[in-house]
Amino acid sequence: MSAHGTPEPLMSRKAGALSGTAEVPGDKSISHRALILGAMAVGETRITGLLEGQDVLDTGRAMQALGAEVVNHGQGSWSVHGVGVGGFSEPDQVIDCGNSGTGVRLIMGAVATHGFATTFTGDASLTSRPMARVTDPLALFGAQAVGRAGGRLPLTLVGASDPVPVRYATPVPSAQVKSAVLLAGLNAPGETVVVEREATRDHSERMLAGFGATISTEVTDEGRVITLTGRPELQPQEIAVPRDPSSAAFPVCAALITEGSDVLIPNIGLNPTRAGLFETLREMGADLTYEDPRDEGGEPVADLRARFSPEMKGIRVPPERAASMIDEYPILSVVAAFAEGVTDMPGVAELRVKESDRIDAMAQGLRAAGVTVEEGDDWWRVHGRGPGGVEGGVTVAARLDHRIAMSFLCLGMASKQPVTVDDASPIATSFPIFEPLMTTLGASFSRPEG
Ligand code: S3P
């Protein structure tokens, strides 16, 4: 089933080297946060480089439903007239977050300390994902969630009208859970504390500080202890969203596995809590360089250059690196299929609760394409077939998961036979220009006959 209508099958076939410059869209995580914090500031926040993917557009609509004014000025330039911390008003419609776990979980946090009810829903993927990981800590503030069995959407969150601050140790390594608690803490008096054992992406902490909140992170034996002072007056910001490393991963990896390729991907956010894939690829022997490393708007960025890398070897990816590359394991498994030897990926239970069960989705498709994949609850292992060694010649299920769809289309660029994904429409959630951009680099896509 497609995200927003009829399934759109897409076939990818080998077409020679990829070359040129790939201008990938803005960072999805930062785009969501810019809209939400903009809506909670007093006055006008201006955002350039916003990702105009469906996930982020759904968050923008939600901010409007809560009382903020969100204006599209064209070409990635947006403004948000915020209502201030505690200033949201009860929405008169259901908040539909589409495919977006980040959208729904962060917005639940933001409304949890407002004394009104909000009903959330999403598509077939989102309504099957766990929400108790967020509603449990929000209950500590005084919010109440009523939803389907297993804490699934649709659910109604009745926010606390007299919230109390919270100290919460996240049981799963999740930036969404951490961020939901911090956003709820904004409208609670006193200090809200989140403790995370493993470092997850820290865009919320950086952006909250940028908006003028008092927030600190201390590294202790318990892990990272993040302390936020509630009820600040957030100051509107000018935010330039860096380009998304998770989207850059696709042209980077496609170039590494496609003979003769040489691709430049400018201005990519390289926040250390996000850059684990690139480190892993370099350890595998990828010809991947960072050019002109610099700092922009509080986030480190560089231009990435990726060239065909026939010498790559499988490695064991350290489990403590998982959080910094959690969205990149599907495309890493494609690279691993073209490396020599075995790539071991332990400590990745979270992959089973993403937009799809990403271990199962990739393992099934890779096996059908002739690659040996082993798996357990929280690990998987790909047996590489070496450069050009993957058969392909399959149709695989995208399972309403943009990253599964893009990963298999990259597989098709370097395998002997074409690879078809049954529905490429979910790609629009995070990387709406994937097909034209990859085509400009030299990729070959076609629509199979219905
Ligand atoms: C995100 C956090 C990650 C990631 C998602 C974006 C975020 O999810 O998979 O694509 O922006 O906070 P978890 O927090 O569930 O690990």
Side-chain angles (χ1 to χ4, degrees):
M1 201 181 73
S2 130
H4 297 99
T6 329
E8 292 167 21
L10 193 62
M11 178 189 277
S12 163
R13 68 174 70 242
K14 205 172 194 164
L18 302 175
S19 65
T21 301
E23 310 250 351
V24 305
D27 190 282
K28 182 153 72 72
S29 293
I30 295 176
S31 295
H32 282 294
R33 288 160 171 79
L35 290 173
I36 296 170
L37 286 182
M40 298 179 87
V42 179
E44 183 184 279
T45 285
R46 295 198 69 102
I47 309 167
T48 52
L50 189 83
L51 166 64
E52 294 175 347
Q54 194 54 47
D55 279 9
V56 175
L57 298 178
D58 287 339
T59 287
R61 249 191 302 276
M63 292 305 104
Q64 276 181 303
L66 289 164
E69 197 186 320
V70 180
V71 182
N72 180 359
H73 300 280
Q75 299 189 323
S77 170
W78 291 67
S79 59
V80 183
H81 293 257
V83 293
V85 168
F88 284 147
S89 44
E90 184 172 82
D92 56 12
Q93 53 196 273
V94 171
I95 303 291
D96 186 345
C97 289
N99 191 251
S100 181
T102 306
V104 77
R105 291 180 175 137
L106 267 55
I107 299 167
M108 278 189 203
V111 298
T113 44
H114 288 72
F116 55 74
T118 312
T119 302
F120 294 92
T121 193
D123 71 3
S125 158
L126 193 58
T127 53
S128 67
R129 296 179 66 185
M131 294 299 146
R133 55 176 52 201
V134 170
T135 54
D136 285 352
L138 297 183
L140 304 174
F141 287 95
Q144 277 182 300
V146 186
R148 291 166 57 214
R152 315 276 167 195
L153 298 178
L155 68 73
T156 297
L157 190 69
V158 183
S161 34
D162 200 7
V164 291
V166 153
R167 181 185 174 91
Y168 188 69
T170 53
V172 283
S174 168
Q176 292 174 359
V177 174
K178 168 177 67 178
S179 303
V181 175
L182 291 173
L183 289 170
L186 276 178
N187 196 34
E191 287 187 342
T192 285
V193 180
V194 184
V195 184
E196 58 175 6
R197 233 173 310 134
E198 293 167 52
T200 64
R201 65 193 68 194
D202 63 356
H203 305 301
S204 297
E205 297 92 302
R206 286 176 189 246
M207 206 182 280
L208 278 162
F211 272 86
T214 302
I215 182 166
S216 64
T217 300
E218 209 190 329
V219 181
T220 70
D221 291 348
E222 265 186 295
R224 281 153 56 108
V225 179
I226 303 146
T227 306
L228 171 77
T229 305
R231 306 247 161 105
E233 181 168 311
L234 298 181
Q235 303 302 319
Q237 298 299 302
E238 303 262 326
I239 300 174
V241 179
R243 293 186 177 153
D244 199 326
S246 299
S247 295
F250 296 101
V252 163
C253 291
L256 298 178
I257 60 175
T258 306
E259 206 174 332
S261 298
D262 185 349
V263 172
L264 185 74
I265 307 109
N267 211 17
I268 299 304
L270 287 177
N271 179 315
T273 61
R274 294 288 298 284
L277 171 75
F278 305 128
E279 203 178 330
T280 300
L281 292 170
R282 298 213 297 192
E283 285 174 13
M284 292 172 78
D287 185 351
L288 172 64
T289 49
Y290 297 166
E291 301 185 352
D292 190 16
R294 53 203 184 270
D295 219 82
E296 275 178 22
E299 295 273 352
V301 300
D303 305 333
L304 302 183
R305 182 148 189 198
R307 299 183 181 88
F308 176 52
S309 302
E311 313 273 281
M312 287 187 290
K313 306 250 176 318
I315 61 162
R316 177 177 188 272
V317 183
E320 60 276 12
R321 192 182 291 162
S324 69
M325 54 179 288
I326 196 67
D327 290 336
E328 283 65 74
Y329 282 93
I331 188 63
L332 175 64
S333 71
V334 170
V335 173
F338 291 97
E340 300 284 358
V342 174
T343 298
D344 243 318
M345 296 171 279
V348 290
E350 282 295 298
L351 288 182
R352 297 214 179 263
V353 291
K354 294 295 177 187
E355 285 83 330
S356 68
D357 175 342
R358 286 182 169 161
I359 297 178
D360 187 59
M362 290 309 300
Q364 289 203 24
L366 285 170
R367 286 180 192 131
V371 181
T372 301
V373 182
E374 299 170 77
E375 61 180 291
D377 288 349
D378 67 346
W379 62 270
W380 53 323
R381 190 177 290 145
V382 174
H383 293 254
R385 299 189 59 86
V390 178
E391 227 28 70
V394 287
T395 297
V396 297
R399 303 192 191 185
L400 287 183
D401 189 331
H402 52 133
R403 300 200 201 283
I404 300 301
M406 289 187 278
S407 297
F408 280 121
L409 291 169
C410 290
L411 183 81
M413 290 172 205
S415 26
K416 294 176 194 164
Q417 304 296 325
V419 172
T420 303
V421 296
D422 66 342
D423 183 13
S425 67
I427 293 172
T429 62
S430 70
F431 198 162
I433 59 165
F434 174 79
E435 189 185 339
L437 183 144
M438 295 305 293
T439 303
T440 308
L441 296 179
S444 170
F445 298 111
S446 56
R447 291 194 159 61
E449 294 300 309

